[in-house]
């Protein structure tokens, strides 16, 4: 048993007062959870302390919260570890900070309203199967291998921890968000679904869809089930491009395509070429600005002008697309050969599904020690 | 902690030689003063910044395996100066290291070029300058090199997502305090750490061409929060963060509808100042947000000392 201090963000709308912090001293084994600590405080000190929970085993997804700023499940975070995390910087004396999930309105204390920022967005992505024709008389029959790809997104328990942590949603509340987009991939990748392309088109053409993710990895660290929502969003982008959806209003495909082509040609980033090709691909033939491209180009002009003024972008290669040097020697040809090989294969290696085969071999010493122990035990046995 | 001189296979990345060329220059200067020898990987290619992986994972993995193989040819540990390079390369390395048959498949094309990426060869590591500074160079040794303590300079750390998350991929099991190193370095240099909300958040750069308003709101909010907390400047180990926080700062100010004007230093620049280098040598005049206030603060500290 050990004593911990929980600093909980309290909010009771019926009181008419604003939110406030309250500290609770709890006494429990370090291997128990932060949720256990909250329930002990509720039991012993203040029955009005409100938290949503049910299974206490990271299955039901009810107790999403922020612990020391990190979104996750209260029942899956050990209180001893949370205490250590809170005290990493100052070396001791700091309480474990517990808050309701972010990006959501608070109903009371640690209970949030998930309707507008989670469930509405989940419904937004049509989270059910849209099959080919009439359903079969019995079950759908598909190869088991064809379903493995979506098992990662199927592991979601709808706890909302990823939504709570999402830094894109913090700046743009209209972003469809990590949970809903991971759910979207669950159907895009399902071999029984007939509307793959329509789904991808819809998600790419929503200005707050797949190209609104800012790649911050917060959802990956928040998810208690290893869904890695950001990885699913990147796969949606890949599939959208592969399906020929190239005219999204965010210019996402064009930017990606310009970047990929540029590295094949130059090996490193040619900033002037990247800006030009992102907004107006194929300028060398004739100017074909994409939707919103002229606006984007014009908006970036003041930034470029300032950079010229301070000397940041005063060299010609930073201003004129295409004169940035290639890699030296035969290095650029090596890069091109890699492109040729990889673009043919396009293998996707997912550690979640395939696991790691490279388990480090056990060092020899312990093995030898174990053998010696066994030999000794055998000898002892023989003696007795 | 190494007692002897440190020599690394150095991958500067693209942006440090592009729109933030002051970073490349200040790293060279600081390395010399610290006694870190840089063997530049001039044949290596872009890390893909997550964008190539988004298009074709195998392509990104092979391109970065090539960079690792070039580094392994030198027999040295690899160092980068860009959070984004670190994150994108670590992601590929995690997949390459996970499975021997996948690695063999990737090495097929590299072998035609006389290259091969071998897991764990000579204890191969790839570390951002920030990690190397704390884990290999050592904060004590760094503090000994300080000739102009940053006394009174209030510095806000800004990490860049790619060196903070995902923890499981970025070596936090072995080095759990990697997301506290900027604070430790600021203190070792004699500066004062400013706590503010944005230190480990996203600068918004990855969506600057795709959702400009969201991107600039992120940058503007973090700069504003740091100003409200009393920061004299920010420091970052990521040149892409620098683009959004510094180069786009006047545009970000319009989106968040407030005056900003906060200097954003590259990590080697902050170290360089404490080692006695002049702001001009460190290319600080190239920044968009003026670094004048930082210089005044340091001059003031020098006068009172």
């Amino acid at each position: 048993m050990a004593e911990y201090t929980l600093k909980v963000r309290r909010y009771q709308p019926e009181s008419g007062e604003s939110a406030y912090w309250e500290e609770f001293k709890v006494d429990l084994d370090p291997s128990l959870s932060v949720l256990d600590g909250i329930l002990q405080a509720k039991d012993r000190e203040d029955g009005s302390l409100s938290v949503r929970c049910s299974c206490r085993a990271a299955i039901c997804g009810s107790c999403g919260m922020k612990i020391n700023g990190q979104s996750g499940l209260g029942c899956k975070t050990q209180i001893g570890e949370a205490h250590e995390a809170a005290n990493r910087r100052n070396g001791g004396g700091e309480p474990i900070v517990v808050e309701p999930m972010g990006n959501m309105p608070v109903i009371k204390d640690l209970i949030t309203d998930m309707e507008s920022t989670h469930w509405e967005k989940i419904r937004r992505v049509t989270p059910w199967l849209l099959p080919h024709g009439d359903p079969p008389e019995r079950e759908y029959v598909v190869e088991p291998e064809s379903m493995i790809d979506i098992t990662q997104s199927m592991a979601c328990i709808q706890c909302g921890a990823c939504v709570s942590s999402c830094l894109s949603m913090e700046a743009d509340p209209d972003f469809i968000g990590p949970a809903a987009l991971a759910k979207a991939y669950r159907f895009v990748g399902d071999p029984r679904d007939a509307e793959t392309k329509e789904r991808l088109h819809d998600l790419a053409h929503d200005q707050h869809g797949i190209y609104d993710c800012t790649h911050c990895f917060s959802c990956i660290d928040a998810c208690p089930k290893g869904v890695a929502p950001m990885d699913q969003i990147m796969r949606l982008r890949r599939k959208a491009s592969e399906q020929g959806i190239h005219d999204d209003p965010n210019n996402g495909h064009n930017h990606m395509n310009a970047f990929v082509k540029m590295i094949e040609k130059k090996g490193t980033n040619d900033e002037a070429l990247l800006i030009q090709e992102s907004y107006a691909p194929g300028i060398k033939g004739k100017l074909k600005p994409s939707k919103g491209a002229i606006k984007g180009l014009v908006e970036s002009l003041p930034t470029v002008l300032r950079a010229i003024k301070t000397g940041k972008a005063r060299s010609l290669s930073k201003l004129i697309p295409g004169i940035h040097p290639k890699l030296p020697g035969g290095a650029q040809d090596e890069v091109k050969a890699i492109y040729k090989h990889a673009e043919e294969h396009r293998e996707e290696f997912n550690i979640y599904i395939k696991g790691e085969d490279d388990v480090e071999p056990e060092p020899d010493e312990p093995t030898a020690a174990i053998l010696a122990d066994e030999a000794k035990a055998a000898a002892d046995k023989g003696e007795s | 902690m190494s007692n002897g001189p440190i020599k690394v296979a150095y991958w500067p990345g693209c942006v440090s030689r592009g729109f933030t060329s002051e970073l490349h220059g200040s790293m060279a200067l600081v390395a010399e003063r610290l006694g870190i020898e840089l063997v530049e990987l001039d044949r290596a290619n872009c890390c893909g910044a997550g964008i190539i992986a988004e298009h074709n994972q195998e392509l990104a993995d092979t391109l970065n395996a090539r960079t690792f193989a070039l580094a392994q040819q030198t027999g040295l540990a690899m160092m980068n100066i860009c959070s984004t390079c670190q994150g994108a390369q670590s992601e590929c390395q995690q997949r390459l290291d996970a499975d021997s048959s996948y690695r063999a498949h990737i090495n097929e094309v590299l072998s035609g070029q006389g290259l091969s990426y071998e897991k764990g060869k000579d204890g191969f590591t790839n570390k951002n300058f920030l990690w190397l500074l704390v884990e290999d160079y050592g904060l004590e040794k760094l503090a000994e090199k300080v000739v102009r303590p940053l006394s009174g300079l209030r510095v806000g750390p800004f990490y860049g997502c790619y060196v903070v998350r995902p923890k499981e991929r970025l070596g936090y099991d072995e080095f759990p305090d990697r997301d506290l190193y900027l604070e430790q370095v600021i203190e070792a240099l004699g500066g004062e750490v400013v706590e503010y909300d944005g230190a480990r958040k996203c600068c918004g750069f990855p969506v600057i061409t795709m959702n400009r308003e969201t991107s600039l709101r992120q940058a503007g909010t973090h700069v504003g929060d740091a100003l409200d907390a009393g920061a004299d400047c920010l420091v970052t180990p990521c040149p892409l963060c620098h683009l959004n926080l510094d180069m786009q700062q006047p545009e970000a100010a319009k989106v968040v509808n407030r005056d900003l004007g906060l200097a954003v230093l590259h990590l080697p620049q902050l170290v360089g100042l404490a080692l006695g280098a002049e702001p001009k040598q460190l290319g600080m005049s190239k920044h968009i947000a003026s670094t004048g206030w930082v210089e005044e603060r340091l001059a003031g500290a020098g006068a009172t000392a």
Side-chain angles (χ1 to χ4, degrees), chain A residues 56-359:
Chain A
R56 305 197 208 178
I59 295 165
C60 76
S62 302
C63 64
M65 60 184 71
K66 276 190 182 176
I67 299 163
N68 301 317
Q70 172 67 46
S71 299
L73 294 179
C75 71
K76 205 182 177 230
T77 310
Q78 291 189 349
I79 199 161
E81 284 180 6
H83 173 77
E84 275 174 34
N87 286 286
R88 274 195 309 146
R89 172 127 170 85
N90 295 334
E94 298 291 330
I96 298 164
V97 178
V98 183
E99 298 166 85
M101 287 199 282
N103 290 330
M104 302 175 195
V106 178
I107 295 174
K108 191 180 181 205
D109 296 336
L110 300 173
I111 300 175
T112 56
D113 176 5
M114 292 173 68
E115 176 56 27
S116 61
T117 55
H118 180 73
W119 296 113
E120 205 173 281
K121 288 168 191 287
I122 293 281
R123 288 193 293 272
R124 157 75 187 77
V125 304
T126 322
W128 55 83
L129 200 68
L130 298 168
H132 302 263
D134 293 329
E137 267 178 43
R138 298 187 51 163
E139 68 272 23
Y140 288 94
V141 180
V142 291
E143 292 291 322
E145 292 74 28
S146 67
M147 294 292 285
I148 290 174
D149 181 50
I150 53 171
T151 52
Q152 190 175 17
S153 49
M154 285 163 105
C156 175
I157 56 171
Q158 306 292 338
C159 66
C162 60
V163 174
S164 163
S165 75
C166 179
L167 296 177
S168 278
M169 210 184 270
E170 193 175 274
D172 175 13
D174 291 333
F175 178 39
I176 295 179
L181 289 172
K183 180 59 74 188
Y185 186 76
R186 186 249 167 275
F187 291 99
V188 162
D190 193 316
R192 301 166 299 172
D193 197 89
E195 307 273 331
T196 308
K197 191 168 178 185
E198 290 78 1
R199 287 177 185 274
L200 289 166
H201 187 276
D202 171 46
L203 298 169
H205 277 256
D206 187 325
Q207 271 187 294
H208 310 282
I210 51 176
Y211 292 110
D212 205 10
C213 165
T214 182
H215 231 262
C216 74
F217 303 91
S218 293
C219 57
I220 296 183
D221 271 3
C223 179
K225 306 303 278 187
V227 172
M230 192 192 103
D231 289 352
Q232 312 309 329
I233 298 171
M234 295 307 127
R235 298 162 102 198
L236 287 169
R237 288 184 183 180
R238 192 173 330 168
K239 296 235 171 197
S241 285
E242 283 168 6
Q243 293 273 343
I245 300 161
H246 296 165
D247 56 347
D248 65 271
N250 299 54
N251 219 28
H253 168 79
N254 281 336
H255 180 65
M256 180 180 81
N257 195 44
F259 195 99
V260 172
K261 292 252 159 66
M262 171 186 71
I263 301 305
E264 182 176 19
K265 232 185 205 166
K266 301 286 189 178
T268 56
N269 188 355
D270 176 347
E271 285 146 333
L273 184 67
L274 179 62
I275 293 171
Q276 178 227 285
E277 285 293 305
S278 294
Y279 288 124
I283 196 171
K284 277 182 186 148
K286 57 177 186 234
L287 189 61
K288 287 187 291 185
S290 62
K291 219 182 259 179
I294 293 171
K295 186 168 169 273
L297 210 50
V298 169
E299 280 172 343
S300 63
L301 274 181
T303 305
V304 174
L305 290 175
R306 277 185 220 108
I308 293 171
K309 199 173 154 207
T310 66
K312 225 175 210 311
R314 213 173 279 164
S315 72
L316 287 179
S317 68
K318 288 177 199 164
L319 292 169
I320 301 173
I323 64 170
H324 178 88
K326 288 179 190 177
L327 292 177
Q332 195 61 48
D333 291 333
E334 293 177 15
V335 167
K336 281 185 180 156
I338 287 172
Y339 266 75
K340 191 166 177 291
H341 185 263
E343 292 286 45
E344 274 170 24
H345 292 270
R346 303 177 78 90
E347 189 168 327
E348 204 176 314
F349 184 86
N350 187 343
I351 294 176
Y352 178 89
I353 287 163
K354 296 191 180 149
E356 302 189 30
D357 82 337
D358 278 13
V359 181

Side-chain angles (χ1 to χ4, degrees), chain B residues 188-210:
Chain B
L189 301 175
E192 199 183 312
V193 173
V194 174
E195 310 264 357
Y196 71 108
D197 210 29
R200 291 160 194 82
K201 288 191 174 178
C202 178
C203 71
F205 180 78
V207 288
I208 186 69
T209 65
M210 299 192 282

Side-chain angles (χ1 to χ4, degrees), chain B residues 40-151:
Chain B
E40 193 164 325
L41 296 170
D42 58 356
R43 291 171 61 82
N45 47 260
C46 169
C47 70
I51 303 173
I52 292 182
E54 187 184 307
H55 162 74
N56 176 347
Q57 218 174 60
E58 182 182 340
L59 179 57
D61 290 354
T62 320
L63 287 170
N64 281 315
R66 177 175 179 273
T67 302
F68 302 149
L70 288 167
Q72 287 186 334
Q73 275 188 337
T74 69
L76 302 168
M78 187 173 144
M79 183 187 92
N80 64 75
I81 49 170
C82 173
S83 296
T84 304
C85 288
Q86 180 73 60
Q89 289 173 336
S90 293
E91 181 182 332
C92 296
Q93 196 185 351
Q94 188 188 28
R95 284 192 289 264
L96 291 164
D97 286 353
D99 188 273
S100 51
S101 58
Y102 182 61
R103 202 159 56 245
H105 172 70
I106 297 293
N107 274 330
E108 258 173 51
V109 61
L110 294 183
S111 65
Q113 306 173 354
L115 292 169
S116 166
Y117 167 64
E118 289 170 50
K119 180 183 178 179
K121 187 186 180 191
D122 305 326
F124 177 74
T125 53
N126 173 28
K127 289 186 183 181
N128 185 277
F129 174 54
L130 174 66
W131 297 355
L132 184 107
L133 201 53
V134 176
E135 292 160 11
D136 301 316
Y137 194 82
L139 290 167
E140 271 176 38
K141 198 167 148 197
L142 176 66
E144 283 167 20
K145 294 269 183 184
V146 171
V147 297
R148 177 168 55 196
L150 307 179
S151 316

